[in-house]
Amino acid sequence: MQKFWKLSQSKSNKLIFIKDQCIYKGNPKQEELQKLNEHTTNLDFLKNLFSIPYAYIKQIENQKGKDYIKIFYGSGSEDELVIKDSNIKKEVFDFLRQDMSKFKYSSGLPSALKYAKAQFFALLFTTLLFIASLYFAVKIENGTEYEIMGRGILTLIIAIANLGVIKVVLGYIIIVGIVCLALVNRLKSRSETEFLRR
């Protein structure tokens, strides 16, 4: 099966072409786009487009309210098919769902932990760094002396602790405030998502 979509308004991919179990995307020359129709047989220009063979794809996500379909492939790589028109976006995803019959389809609201993993990790890391820095800051204010040697996480913790208890606490409050704001914004954007998984 093959099908294509011309997205003349798009800046990132003016053409999405699916052929022979491969997704092609890119910005071919205007004259190539104009010549392209359902009966076009000369598809040499596809060589100049970015291609993702189905065999490399691990998962595809179509999140409601987002103007892209996200493709996960290879070892941690990902790409997006940017499609501003929600009807065309649905059409592309439905075609992929039909064409990728070996993939399992599911839909639902992603879990908060999975969806905002980076923000939760930042919150955890910042809190652990704060606790360690505060511990050393209290020790330093009580007269204990530490010598900073080499590089590493302990050196960073002692350097932060040298700022003093009040500055460590204020710094933590500011950073946690920023992380929490990012976390709330991320969770607000969580919406129904369709998945195709290998």
Side-chain angles (χ1 to χ4, degrees):
M1 285 172 58
Q2 76 172 42
K3 192 165 173 77
F4 63 86
W5 294 266
K6 296 179 187 180
L7 310 165
S8 55
Q9 307 295 62
S10 177
K11 290 180 181 167
S12 51
N13 43 255
K14 293 191 184 305
L15 177 69
I16 296 172
F17 200 117
I18 300 172
K19 176 181 170 23
D20 299 331
Q21 299 206 328
C22 191
I23 301 169
Y24 296 90
K25 71 170 208 151
N27 296 318
K29 294 175 183 168
Q30 194 60 39
E31 54 269 17
E32 290 169 333
L33 271 176
Q34 288 172 343
K35 288 180 192 173
L36 183 63
N37 61 46
E38 292 171 14
H39 308 292
T40 306
T41 54
N42 182 8
L43 301 173
D44 289 340
F45 69 91
L46 289 179
K47 289 182 274 187
N48 300 323
L49 300 179
F50 182 73
S51 62
I52 309 170
Y54 286 4
Y56 294 177
I57 298 173
K58 294 179 176 176
Q59 179 174 304
I60 296 178
E61 289 180 7
N62 180 26
Q63 186 177 356
K64 190 176 181 180
K66 300 285 182 184
D67 62 356
Y68 56 80
I69 294 171
K70 198 170 257 194
I71 301 170
F72 298 89
Y73 62 95
S75 55
S77 299
E78 61 182 73
D79 209 333
E80 295 171 352
L81 300 176
V82 179
I83 308 166
K84 305 275 187 201
D85 185 314
S86 58
N87 293 326
I88 294 174
K89 182 178 160 226
K90 178 160 179 41
E91 192 179 312
V92 171
F93 185 82
D94 288 345
F95 181 86
L96 286 168
R97 181 180 173 188
Q98 182 183 355
D99 203 36
M100 302 171 93
S101 55
K102 292 181 181 174
F103 282 66
K104 292 179 184 134
Y105 171 81
S106 64
S107 71
L109 196 63
S111 73
L113 185 61
K114 189 173 181 185
Y115 191 72
K117 188 168 35 177
Q119 288 79 10
F120 281 119
F121 179 76
L123 195 59
L124 177 66
F125 178 76
T126 303
T127 302
L128 292 174
L129 191 63
F130 164 70
I131 291 167
S133 299
L134 186 63
Y135 171 79
F136 283 105
V138 169
K139 294 276 240 178
I140 289 168
E141 286 193 0
N142 288 332
T144 307
E145 290 184 20
Y146 295 97
E147 190 176 328
I148 298 175
M149 296 174 65
R151 296 177 188 191
I153 191 76
L154 189 58
T155 304
L156 174 66
I157 289 169
I158 291 173
I160 293 170
N162 274 317
L163 296 172
V165 173
I166 293 172
K167 287 184 180 174
V168 168
V169 171
L170 284 174
Y172 174 71
I173 290 169
I174 291 167
I175 292 170
V176 164
I178 293 167
V179 171
C180 286
L181 194 61
L183 178 62
V184 168
N185 286 338
R186 178 77 176 151
L187 290 175
K188 274 185 189 173
S189 72
R190 193 168 59 127
S191 60
E192 188 77 20
T193 305
E194 295 179 285
F195 300 93
L196 289 175
R197 293 186 176 107
R198 192 171 283 287

